[in-house]
Amino acid sequence: MTTPLEIIYQSLKDCGFVGDGEIPSDDNVNDAFRKLNWMMAEWRQKRGMVFHLVEKTLTMDGSQSYTIGPGQQIDMTQRPNKIDSAVIRQNFLTGSPVDFGVNILQAFEDWQQISVKENSGPPSVIFYDTGWPTGRIYVWPKPQANQYQLRILVKAELESFTSLIQEVNLPPEY
């Protein structure tokens, strides 16, 4: 299995920073390690660089909005920068659940255009506010408590490396 240290050594060799048999200084390795983690953070933001989407599910309690991020209602190690897809599931407790697509608004200004936000019914629109460190998903109309599930697709989390010798757990093409 590959480690971040092996990736760093090979990268420094490929760019001509070190030659065959040379060993970079600890400072150079630490700088490269930091930049490797920066690269992983940048890749996390790009759909084409993330190898798959994961589904996150939340039973809606009748609120207008729900939090997403570390320790939130939708718990994730990091809050996503985008919701790639969303559906509302009705009858999720029975043997015949029904999914309805929802419109994902891309701008807060579009969310503001909804004049009566207190209407209740099956949600048909969501807006994702990517606040930091916690995101917030707004739904309209407001759902009845425990009648619907929000099911979203977000990019899988590409983890940062915590050690130079940890195993890299990514598909081979990385």
Side-chain angles (χ1 to χ4, degrees), residues 104-163:
I104 302 173
L105 300 178
Q106 300 300 316
F108 186 64
E109 294 84 357
D110 295 331
W111 173 255
Q112 286 180 312
Q113 295 301 313
I114 298 173
S115 56
V116 182
K117 293 184 179 64
E118 293 299 317
N119 286 357
S120 65
S124 60
V125 173
I126 66 170
F127 167 66
Y128 177 47
D129 178 0
T130 58
W132 179 259
T134 301
R136 185 168 290 276
I137 300 169
Y138 294 89
V139 297
W140 183 86
K142 282 174 57 174
Q144 293 87 4
N146 303 314
Q147 297 296 311
Y148 303 97
Q149 278 185 335
L150 174 62
R151 303 171 79 83
I152 61 172
L153 290 179
V154 294
K155 293 182 292 295
E157 299 176 57
L158 294 178
E159 297 295 325
S160 296
F161 301 112
T162 57
S163 159

Side-chain angles (χ1 to χ4, degrees), residues 43-158:
W43 285 3
R44 264 193 293 279
Q45 305 305 313
K46 299 180 181 190
R47 174 64 188 109
M49 297 302 292
V50 177
F51 56 93
H52 93 137
L53 297 175
V54 294
E55 184 178 57
K56 297 291 183 176
T57 302
L58 173 75
T59 299
M60 302 170 88
D61 64 8
S63 299
Q64 183 90 64
S65 68
Y66 302 90
T67 57
I68 184 168
Q72 301 303 311
Q73 291 169 298
I74 301 174
D75 191 16
M76 298 186 69
T77 307
Q78 300 172 9
R79 67 109 177 102
N81 70 323
K82 178 183 178 187
I83 294 175
D84 290 278
S85 175
V87 298
I88 299 297
R89 179 165 287 180
Q90 188 175 19
N91 302 329
F92 60 93
L93 297 174
T94 68
S96 57
V98 178
D99 289 349
F100 298 96
V102 295
N103 183 23
I104 302 173
L105 300 178
Q106 300 300 316
F108 186 64
E109 294 84 357
D110 295 331
W111 173 255
Q112 286 180 312
Q113 295 301 313
I114 298 173
S115 56
V116 182
K117 293 184 179 64
E118 293 299 317
N119 286 357
S120 65
S124 60
V125 173
I126 66 170
F127 167 66
Y128 177 47
D129 178 0
T130 58
W132 179 259
T134 301
R136 185 168 290 276
I137 300 169
Y138 294 89
V139 297
W140 183 86
K142 282 174 57 174
Q144 293 87 4
N146 303 314
Q147 297 296 311
Y148 303 97
Q149 278 185 335
L150 174 62
R151 303 171 79 83
I152 61 172
L153 290 179
V154 294
K155 293 182 292 295
E157 299 176 57
L158 294 178

Side-chain angles (χ1 to χ4, degrees), residues 5 8 25-36 164:
L5 187 58
I8 289 167
S25 72
D26 289 346
D27 285 344
N28 293 140
V29 170
N30 289 332
D31 286 346
F33 183 65
R34 187 174 26 263
K35 289 180 182 179
L36 177 61
L164 288 167

